[in-house]
Short mmCIF file of all heavy atoms in Angstrom, two decimals:
data_model
loop_
_atom_site.label_atom_id
_atom_site.label_comp_id
_atom_site.label_asym_id
_atom_site.label_seq_id
_atom_site.Cartn_x
_atom_site.Cartn_y
_atom_site.Cartn_z
N MET A 139 91.31 97.24 97.33
CA MET A 139 92.09 97.10 98.56
C MET A 139 92.78 95.75 98.53
O MET A 139 92.28 94.80 97.93
CB MET A 139 91.17 97.19 99.78
CG MET A 139 91.88 97.15 101.13
SD MET A 139 92.99 98.56 101.33
CE MET A 139 93.45 98.38 103.05
N GLY A 140 93.91 95.65 99.13
CA GLY A 140 94.59 94.37 99.27
C GLY A 140 94.15 93.67 100.55
O GLY A 140 93.79 94.31 101.53
N GLN A 141 94.19 92.36 100.53
CA GLN A 141 93.79 91.57 101.70
C GLN A 141 94.94 91.52 102.71
O GLN A 141 95.56 90.48 102.93
CB GLN A 141 93.34 90.18 101.26
CG GLN A 141 92.04 90.21 100.48
CD GLN A 141 91.61 88.83 99.99
OE1 GLN A 141 92.21 87.82 100.32
NE2 GLN A 141 90.57 88.80 99.18
N MET A 142 95.18 92.68 103.32
CA MET A 142 96.26 92.82 104.28
C MET A 142 96.02 92.01 105.55
O MET A 142 96.97 91.76 106.32
CB MET A 142 96.45 94.30 104.62
CG MET A 142 97.53 94.61 105.63
SD MET A 142 99.15 93.84 105.30
CE MET A 142 99.68 94.75 103.86
N GLU A 143 94.79 91.54 105.76
CA GLU A 143 94.51 90.72 106.92
C GLU A 143 95.47 89.54 107.01
O GLU A 143 95.93 89.18 108.10
CB GLU A 143 93.05 90.23 106.86
CG GLU A 143 92.02 91.32 106.99
CD GLU A 143 92.00 92.28 105.82
OE1 GLU A 143 92.30 91.86 104.67
OE2 GLU A 143 91.70 93.47 106.03
N TYR A 144 95.80 88.97 105.87
CA TYR A 144 96.75 87.86 105.87
C TYR A 144 98.14 88.32 106.30
O TYR A 144 98.83 87.65 107.08
CB TYR A 144 96.82 87.22 104.48
CG TYR A 144 95.58 86.49 104.08
CD1 TYR A 144 94.80 86.92 103.01
CD2 TYR A 144 95.17 85.35 104.76
CE1 TYR A 144 93.66 86.24 102.62
CE2 TYR A 144 94.02 84.66 104.38
CZ TYR A 144 93.28 85.11 103.31
OH TYR A 144 92.15 84.44 102.94
N GLY A 145 98.58 89.44 105.74
CA GLY A 145 99.89 89.95 106.12
C GLY A 145 99.98 90.27 107.60
O GLY A 145 101.01 90.01 108.25
N LYS A 146 98.89 90.79 108.14
CA LYS A 146 98.88 91.11 109.57
C LYS A 146 98.85 89.85 110.43
O LYS A 146 99.43 89.81 111.52
CB LYS A 146 97.69 92.01 109.89
CG LYS A 146 97.84 93.43 109.37
CD LYS A 146 98.95 94.17 110.09
CE LYS A 146 98.92 95.66 109.80
NZ LYS A 146 99.94 96.40 110.55
N ILE A 148 100.34 87.10 109.63
CA ILE A 148 101.73 86.66 109.60
C ILE A 148 102.57 87.50 110.56
O ILE A 148 103.43 86.97 111.29
CB ILE A 148 102.29 86.73 108.17
CG1 ILE A 148 101.46 85.85 107.23
CG2 ILE A 148 103.75 86.30 108.13
CD1 ILE A 148 101.75 86.09 105.75
N PRO A 279 104.70 93.27 106.66
CA PRO A 279 103.58 93.01 105.76
C PRO A 279 103.38 94.24 104.89
O PRO A 279 103.32 95.36 105.41
CB PRO A 279 102.41 92.79 106.72
CG PRO A 279 102.77 93.57 107.94
CD PRO A 279 104.27 93.61 108.01
N TYR A 280 103.29 94.05 103.60
CA TYR A 280 103.26 95.23 102.72
C TYR A 280 102.23 95.07 101.62
O TYR A 280 101.85 93.97 101.23
CB TYR A 280 104.64 95.47 102.12
CG TYR A 280 105.10 94.39 101.16
CD1 TYR A 280 104.85 94.49 99.79
CD2 TYR A 280 105.77 93.27 101.62
CE1 TYR A 280 105.26 93.50 98.91
CE2 TYR A 280 106.18 92.27 100.75
CZ TYR A 280 105.92 92.39 99.39
OH TYR A 280 106.31 91.40 98.52
N PHE A 281 101.77 96.22 101.14
CA PHE A 281 100.89 96.27 99.99
C PHE A 281 101.72 96.36 98.71
O PHE A 281 102.70 97.09 98.64
CB PHE A 281 99.98 97.50 100.05
CG PHE A 281 98.91 97.43 101.09
CD1 PHE A 281 99.06 98.10 102.30
CD2 PHE A 281 97.73 96.74 100.87
CE1 PHE A 281 98.06 98.05 103.26
CE2 PHE A 281 96.74 96.68 101.82
CZ PHE A 281 96.90 97.34 103.03
N ASN A 282 101.31 95.62 97.71
CA ASN A 282 101.89 95.72 96.39
C ASN A 282 100.80 96.19 95.44
O ASN A 282 100.02 95.40 94.91
CB ASN A 282 102.45 94.37 95.94
CG ASN A 282 103.01 94.42 94.53
OD1 ASN A 282 103.58 95.42 94.11
ND2 ASN A 282 102.83 93.34 93.78
N TRP A 283 100.70 97.49 95.26
CA TRP A 283 99.61 98.08 94.50
C TRP A 283 99.82 98.00 92.99
O TRP A 283 98.90 98.28 92.22
CB TRP A 283 99.43 99.54 94.89
CG TRP A 283 99.10 99.76 96.33
CD1 TRP A 283 99.94 100.22 97.30
CD2 TRP A 283 97.84 99.54 96.98
NE1 TRP A 283 99.28 100.28 98.51
CE2 TRP A 283 97.99 99.87 98.34
CE3 TRP A 283 96.60 99.07 96.53
CZ2 TRP A 283 96.96 99.76 99.25
CZ3 TRP A 283 95.56 98.96 97.44
CH2 TRP A 283 95.74 99.31 98.78
N ASN A 306 91.59 92.48 96.83
CA ASN A 306 92.54 91.69 96.07
C ASN A 306 93.40 90.79 96.97
O ASN A 306 94.01 91.25 97.94
CB ASN A 306 93.44 92.60 95.24
CG ASN A 306 92.65 93.38 94.21
OD1 ASN A 306 91.75 92.84 93.57
ND2 ASN A 306 92.97 94.65 94.04
N ALA A 307 93.46 89.52 96.59
CA ALA A 307 94.12 88.51 97.41
C ALA A 307 95.62 88.42 97.11
O ALA A 307 96.09 88.87 96.07
CB ALA A 307 93.47 87.14 97.14
N PRO A 308 96.36 87.81 98.04
CA PRO A 308 97.74 87.46 97.72
C PRO A 308 97.77 86.40 96.61
O PRO A 308 96.81 85.67 96.42
CB PRO A 308 98.27 86.85 99.03
CG PRO A 308 97.31 87.25 100.10
CD PRO A 308 95.99 87.41 99.41
N ASP A 309 98.87 86.34 95.92
CA ASP A 309 99.13 85.22 95.02
C ASP A 309 99.73 84.13 95.89
O ASP A 309 100.90 84.20 96.27
CB ASP A 309 100.10 85.65 93.92
CG ASP A 309 100.48 84.51 92.99
OD1 ASP A 309 100.07 83.36 93.25
OD2 ASP A 309 101.20 84.76 92.00
N ASP A 312 103.09 82.55 95.35
CA ASP A 312 104.25 83.36 95.72
C ASP A 312 103.74 84.72 96.17
O ASP A 312 103.50 85.60 95.35
CB ASP A 312 105.22 83.52 94.54
CG ASP A 312 106.43 84.38 94.88
OD1 ASP A 312 106.56 84.81 96.06
OD2 ASP A 312 107.25 84.64 93.98
N ILE A 313 103.57 84.87 97.49
CA ILE A 313 102.96 86.11 97.98
C ILE A 313 103.85 87.34 97.76
O ILE A 313 103.36 88.47 97.87
CB ILE A 313 102.58 86.01 99.48
CG1 ILE A 313 103.81 85.82 100.36
CG2 ILE A 313 101.56 84.91 99.70
CD1 ILE A 313 103.51 85.91 101.86
N ASN A 314 105.11 87.13 97.42
CA ASN A 314 106.02 88.26 97.18
C ASN A 314 106.29 88.49 95.69
O ASN A 314 107.23 89.21 95.35
CB ASN A 314 107.33 88.05 97.93
CG ASN A 314 107.15 88.14 99.44
OD1 ASN A 314 106.50 89.06 99.94
ND2 ASN A 314 107.70 87.18 100.17
N ASN A 315 105.46 87.92 94.83
CA ASN A 315 105.62 88.15 93.40
C ASN A 315 105.17 89.57 93.07
O ASN A 315 103.99 89.91 93.23
CB ASN A 315 104.80 87.14 92.61
CG ASN A 315 105.08 87.20 91.12
OD1 ASN A 315 105.27 88.27 90.55
ND2 ASN A 315 105.09 86.05 90.47
N THR A 318 102.08 89.89 90.55
CA THR A 318 100.81 89.17 90.70
C THR A 318 100.16 89.27 92.08
O THR A 318 98.97 89.05 92.20
CB THR A 318 101.01 87.67 90.40
OG1 THR A 318 102.01 87.14 91.28
CG2 THR A 318 101.45 87.46 88.95
N SER A 319 100.92 89.58 93.11
CA SER A 319 100.39 89.49 94.48
C SER A 319 100.07 90.86 95.04
O SER A 319 100.90 91.78 95.00
CB SER A 319 101.39 88.78 95.40
OG SER A 319 100.79 88.48 96.64
N ALA A 320 98.87 91.02 95.56
CA ALA A 320 98.44 92.31 96.11
C ALA A 320 99.04 92.59 97.47
O ALA A 320 99.15 93.74 97.89
CB ALA A 320 96.92 92.35 96.20
N VAL A 321 99.40 91.54 98.18
CA VAL A 321 99.91 91.63 99.54
C VAL A 321 101.08 90.68 99.70
O VAL A 321 101.05 89.56 99.17
CB VAL A 321 98.81 91.28 100.57
CG1 VAL A 321 99.36 91.23 101.99
CG2 VAL A 321 97.67 92.29 100.50
N GLY A 322 102.10 91.11 100.43
CA GLY A 322 103.23 90.24 100.68
C GLY A 322 103.74 90.37 102.10
O GLY A 322 103.25 91.17 102.89
N PHE A 323 104.75 89.56 102.42
CA PHE A 323 105.43 89.66 103.71
C PHE A 323 106.90 89.35 103.50
O PHE A 323 107.26 88.26 103.08
CB PHE A 323 104.84 88.68 104.73
CG PHE A 323 105.32 88.93 106.14
CD1 PHE A 323 104.57 89.70 107.01
CD2 PHE A 323 106.53 88.41 106.59
CE1 PHE A 323 105.02 89.96 108.31
CE2 PHE A 323 106.99 88.66 107.88
CZ PHE A 323 106.23 89.43 108.75
#
Side-chain angles (χ1 to χ4, degrees):
M139 184 62 171
Q141 291 178 8
M142 179 50 70
E143 294 67 31
Y144 291 115
K146 288 293 192 177
I148 301 167
Y280 66 92
F281 288 101
N282 177 35
W283 300 104
N306 297 319
D309 177 355
D312 179 4
I313 64 172
N314 292 313
N315 188 322
T318 58
S319 191
V321 174
F323 191 96

